[in-house]
Amino acid sequence: MSLSGRVAIVTGAGSGLGRAEALALEAAGASVVLNDVADLPPGSVGVQGDVGDADVARELVDTAIRHYGQLDIVVNNAGVVRDRMLFSMSDDEWDLVVRVHLRGHFLLCRNAGAYWRDRSKQTGAPVYGRLINTTSEAWFLGAVAQPNYAAAKGGITALTVAAARGLSRYGVRANAICPRARTAMTEPVYGPAPSEGPDPLGVEHVTPLVTYLASEAADHINGQVFFVHGGLVAVLAPPTVAARFDAAGDTWDPAELAKALGGYFADHTPDQVFTGREISLLERQS
C-alpha cells in the first residue's frame, strides 16, 4: 500500500484529524499539499485559506501540479460547526457550515475531477485518482442541534456517490468516511480524552482507512461509505425500502391511502423517524 510517488491534498490539515491524515499519507510515501485557515507548519507546501473559496480550491490543485507535477489524491476534511436548534439558527450559521463542508468538498472534487478527466483523455487510458470525502453520522442520525452540519454531511454523501459514478471511467475512485474522532471541533460533544490508556476516539484509529483508500490496493472500492472509530470499520448500506403499498386502481384515493399508511404507522411514535441510530451504536467486538 505504498504511496511513494503519489501527490495528495489534505484540507483542514493544520491540526486534528486532517493533520493526522496528512502525516499518515506522508509516512506511506506521498507528497502532501496542506490546507487550513490557520497557519500551516513551517516549511510545508500548502495553501492557507477557506476551502469554500473557489480561488483557494483552484490554488490547491495548481500548487500540487506546480510543486510536484501531478495530483493523485484528495482528502476533503476541513470543517466547522455552528451548533444550534433549527428554530434558533441564523442564516449566517447555516450558510457558513454548508459553505465550508459541502461547497468546499464540491470545489475540490470538481477541480480534481476535471484535472483527472483531462489527463485520461490526453493519454487515452485511466489515471490514478482518489477522492476521500468526510461525512458524519450526524446525517443519518438527524442530529437535532446540528441541522446545518447534518444537511451538509448528507449532501457530501450524495456528492461522493455521484462523483464515484461519474468519474470511475477515468480511473478515479471516490469514497466517504464517517469518522468518530476526538478533535478540537468534536471535543464539546465527546468530552476530554481518558486520562489513562488508549483513546478509543483517537485520530490514529481513522488514518489507516484513509491511507488504504488512497492506495492502489483499494482500486476496486468505489462509491462506498465507511463508519470508522476505535478499531472498527463498518461498510454502510444504501437506503432500503421499509414497506411498500400499491393502489388498487391506477392511482391512490386519499381515503384509501390514509387507511394503508395509517395502518402501517399506527404503532409508530413521532420519535420513530428515518434514522440510522443502530449504526451509531456499533462498537468494536473484543
Side-chain angles (χ1 to χ4, degrees):
M1 294 191 296
S2 170
L3 298 179
S4 178
R6 301 299 181 187
V7 178
I9 292 172
V10 180
T11 69
S15 62
L17 180 57
R19 183 62 180 149
E21 290 168 333
L23 291 172
L25 294 177
E26 287 180 342
S31 300
V32 182
V33 177
L34 308 181
N35 160 263
D36 207 291
V37 292
D39 292 339
L40 298 174
S44 63
V45 176
V47 177
Q48 186 176 0
D50 175 7
V51 290
D53 185 327
D55 290 337
V56 171
R58 188 178 304 110
E59 182 60 21
L60 275 166
V61 174
D62 290 347
T63 297
I65 297 169
R66 185 169 61 250
H67 277 265
Y68 300 115
Q70 64 193 62
L71 173 63
D72 306 292
I73 302 158
V74 171
V75 179
N76 279 308
N77 167 78
V80 65
V81 291
R82 293 293 184 272
D83 296 351
R84 202 172 300 280
M85 296 297 288
L86 177 62
F87 43 76
S88 301
M89 182 162 291
S90 70
D91 293 2
D92 289 344
E93 288 166 337
W94 174 272
D95 292 343
L96 174 65
V97 170
V98 173
R99 170 190 168 87
V100 173
H101 288 276
L102 185 53
R103 176 179 165 84
H105 273 66
F106 156 69
L107 290 173
L108 266 180
C109 285
R110 179 194 63 187
N111 295 0
Y115 165 75
W116 288 324
R117 180 199 59 182
D118 290 345
R119 283 189 61 195
S120 177
K121 287 187 174 182
Q122 290 169 6
T123 62
V127 300
Y128 191 102
R130 298 288 188 269
L131 290 172
I132 303 170
N133 292 334
T134 306
T135 181
S136 167
E137 59 191 298
W139 74 267
F140 58 73
L141 286 176
V144 296
Q146 295 181 312
N148 47 4
Y149 184 72
K153 290 305 190 182
I156 288 169
T157 303
L159 171 65
T160 303
V161 176
R165 299 185 68 196
L167 297 174
S168 63
R169 72 188 74 177
Y170 306 113
V172 179
R173 303 293 179 257
N175 295 285
I177 62 170
C178 294
R180 184 182 288 176
R182 196 186 318 277
T183 66
M185 190 179 79
T186 63
E187 189 170 0
V189 176
Y190 297 136
S195 57
E196 297 180 0
D199 183 2
L201 299 183
V203 294
E204 65 274 11
H205 299 297
V206 178
T207 55
L209 176 61
V210 173
T211 304
Y212 170 63
L213 292 176
S215 75
E216 187 175 352
D219 189 63
H220 57 296
I221 302 176
N222 193 38
Q224 302 300 321
V225 182
F226 298 89
F227 182 49
V228 53
H229 71 91
L232 164 74
V233 173
V235 182
L236 304 193
T240 59
V241 177
R244 171 177 168 171
F245 306 91
D246 293 287
D250 293 333
T251 189
W252 282 101
D253 172 83
E256 180 188 12
L257 182 61
K259 181 179 179 181
L261 289 181
Y264 175 74
F265 286 106
D267 296 330
H268 284 60
T269 70
D271 291 329
Q272 291 176 277
V273 297
F274 182 92
T275 183
R277 184 174 180 272
E278 67 281 359
I279 302 172
S280 69
L281 299 177
L282 287 174
E283 297 290 346
R284 181 182 179 184
Q285 296 179 345
S286 57

